[in-house]
Amino acid sequence: MILILTQDISHQSAEFRQLMDHLNALPGIKSRIHNEKGEQQTLTEVYLIGNTAPLSIEDMQTLPGVERVVRVSEEYRVLGRHKDDDRATHFDYNGVRFGQDTLNVFAGLCAVDTPTHVEAMLKALRDHGQVCTRMGAYKPRTSPYAFQGHGKNCLPWTFELAGKYGIKVIAMEVTHESHVDEIRAALDQTGNPTGVMLQIGTRNTQNFELLKIVGRQQEFPVLFKRGFGITLDESINAAEYLASEGNRKIVFGLRGMKTNMGDPHRNFVDFAHVPVVKRLTRMPVCIDPSHSVGARSRAADGLLDVFHVVAQGVVAGANMILVDFHPNPKAALVDGPQALLMEELPHFLEDVQLARETYLKRQGLVARYQK
Ligand code: PEP
Ligand code: MN
């Protein structure tokens, strides 16, 4: 059960203390407080854990400081959509809104390589009105002999360049606790010219200790990739690790499943799950066409497979697109063969816009036909 308290309630107030005294006296029930700091207000929620079945919603609603009560189902307690649950399905970070009703494009380099390539990418994004990007500094690779990313050394200049071109959010994978500290230190050192969304890659979807660490900080939002060889339920439960530790600024990323049934794509494209994740949870959903398709193959109609799957995901309501571009894919140190070219950026963005307009029109049809 979740008690949603009145906005901006002070934890020092008499009503808050009365409420907590009452809850602490309930037999077999433990309470856990979660503060959600928004740009304008702070929302406090109290999670009641234990046998809450005998507690009535009506009684709990009359307790001091309580605005609303939600009875949660067992699954996905924090992130799930529960009956009569009208909690937010969006969050704001560094001036950018991420929600189940918005769409953000994160085009960028799979891996940071040279300042020239990074700058060419960022300049193209700025010239096309983009404020988000992807830039990998820590790359988990199949072979120990492959390039693992430039790590912390590339962070200060990458962040400074991002700031120079008006980038507000960089999606950046972390594979170890120390990476979060290094990112924070580099942002501090450079005067916070940009923001970072920490990415949990598919190889770490069930790295529960990493999830707990990333979940305990609330400074950075998280792009959480679905595990490529586990069920959707297992992946959403893993995302719940982040949220149960306190960070619920999470975008859930679909990136394809590992099976040869998806051949000739690198992974089996799973964007049919966009509306499913939005129904089961309150998380915005990201699609990653680059790592799912994994190639620049072109369909008979002239469009790249990457464009086609993006359109499929966006028409189904995707909220974020993570996509690899590179100014010179032959020189890319990671995933060059799947990267889109700089000159394809305007075509890509216009194609995304078309698909988005179609999605919004489809929502209009729902409103018209399901009165
Ligand atoms: C990536 O986005 O660079 C990446 C490695 O993705 P995934 O974890 O989905 O393979
Ligand atoms: Mn990659």
Side-chain angles (χ1 to χ4, degrees):
M1 184 175 269
I2 308 171
L3 311 184
I4 298 160
L5 307 192
T6 48
Q7 250 178 47
D8 294 320
I9 191 168
S10 156
H11 292 201
Q12 274 73 49
S13 65
E15 53 176 359
F16 184 80
R17 266 188 266 135
Q18 275 168 20
L19 171 68
M20 293 317 294
D21 288 346
H22 180 87
L23 298 177
N24 292 337
L26 291 173
I29 303 273
K30 281 208 174 95
S31 47
R32 188 162 173 170
I33 299 170
H34 177 83
N35 289 313
E36 192 67 31
K37 282 195 196 74
E39 303 219 316
Q40 258 109 51
Q41 70 205 33
T42 298
L43 198 64
T44 302
E45 294 175 358
V46 184
Y47 283 75
L48 301 185
I49 299 154
N51 182 19
T52 57
L55 304 175
S56 99
I57 291 199
E58 291 71 31
D59 287 352
M60 300 309 280
Q61 222 135 19
T62 61
L63 295 176
V66 175
E67 189 163 293
R68 263 179 317 118
V69 180
V70 175
R71 195 182 285 286
V72 299
S73 35
E74 271 306 297
E75 288 211 308
Y76 324 142
R77 291 184 193 184
V78 182
L79 295 172
R81 274 180 184 270
H82 307 294
K83 193 168 167 290
D84 301 326
D85 180 3
D86 57 358
R87 288 174 301 154
T89 54
H90 68 263
F91 62 85
D92 294 289
Y93 174 65
N94 209 21
V96 183
R97 172 158 289 215
F98 296 91
Q100 287 199 338
D101 56 354
T102 56
L103 176 63
N104 301 97
V105 178
F106 280 62
L109 305 185
C110 181
V112 168
D113 45 32
T114 67
T116 312
H117 289 151
V118 170
E119 185 150 19
M121 184 72 236
L122 298 172
K123 183 171 181 309
L125 291 171
R126 194 260 330 258
D127 292 349
H128 291 94
Q130 299 302 304
V131 295
C132 299
T133 190
R134 58 158 298 145
M135 292 279 159
Y138 309 97
K139 301 301 302 177
R141 302 303 301 282
T142 306
S143 162
Y145 309 113
F147 172 65
Q148 313 277 313
H150 286 311
K152 69 175 178 188
N153 294 337
C154 71
L155 299 181
W157 60 261
T158 301
F159 293 159
E160 274 166 357
L161 281 173
K164 176 174 167 193
Y165 290 99
I167 297 295
K168 303 232 165 277
V169 189
I170 305 177
M172 184 172 273
E173 179 162 357
V174 291
T175 60
H176 190 269
E177 175 177 9
S178 60
H179 301 161
V180 184
D181 298 332
E182 289 170 8
I183 288 171
R184 189 180 292 112
L187 284 171
D188 283 349
Q189 181 199 325
T190 51
N192 294 297
T194 188
V196 171
M197 179 181 278
L198 303 176
Q199 185 175 320
I200 300 290
T202 195
R203 291 159 189 80
N204 279 310
T205 302
Q206 287 186 312
N207 182 342
F208 300 120
E209 296 310 315
L210 178 66
L211 297 180
K212 286 184 201 166
I213 284 154
V214 171
R216 263 174 226 142
Q217 62 79 38
Q218 290 192 37
E219 182 181 355
F220 303 111
V222 184
L223 169 60
F224 176 82
K225 294 271 196 104
R226 156 191 216 159
F228 55 23
I230 55 176
T231 63
L232 184 62
D233 173 61
E234 285 166 331
S235 286
I236 299 177
N237 266 305
E240 187 77 12
Y241 266 86
L242 294 164
S244 69
E245 291 293 334
N247 190 341
R248 58 178 70 173
K249 293 191 172 101
I250 309 168
V251 178
F252 189 87
L254 298 172
R255 49 82 68 214
M257 304 302 293
K258 205 172 191 61
T259 155
N260 62 347
M261 302 302 159
D263 291 357
H265 290 159
R266 180 175 173 184
N267 288 286
F268 201 131
V269 182
D270 54 351
F271 300 169
H273 277 165
V274 168
V276 177
V277 177
K278 289 172 77 173
R279 175 176 76 236
L280 295 175
T281 79
R282 295 177 297 111
M283 290 182 278
V285 178
C286 174
I287 51 170
D288 177 342
S290 305
H291 291 83
S292 33
V293 170
R296 287 181 49 80
S297 20
R298 198 176 291 279
D301 57 17
L303 287 160
L304 293 176
D305 287 10
V306 167
F307 277 53
H308 273 300
V309 301
V310 167
Q312 288 158 15
V314 172
V315 159
N319 306 112
M320 175 169 157
I321 305 166
L322 190 76
V323 56
D324 289 1
F325 272 77
H326 201 282
N328 180 8
K330 285 203 182 72
L333 297 173
V334 186
D335 283 348
Q338 70 193 24
L340 300 182
L341 313 175
M342 223 46 50
E343 57 268 29
E344 289 168 331
L345 183 62
H347 181 179
F348 179 81
L349 293 172
E350 214 173 307
D351 204 44
V352 166
Q353 193 52 35
L354 268 185
R356 177 69 179 168
E357 281 162 20
T358 303
Y359 172 68
L360 295 173
K361 282 189 191 149
R362 292 177 69 217
Q363 286 210 301
L365 281 190
V366 174
R368 192 140 60 77
Y369 281 103
Q370 293 185 6
K371 281 207 179 106

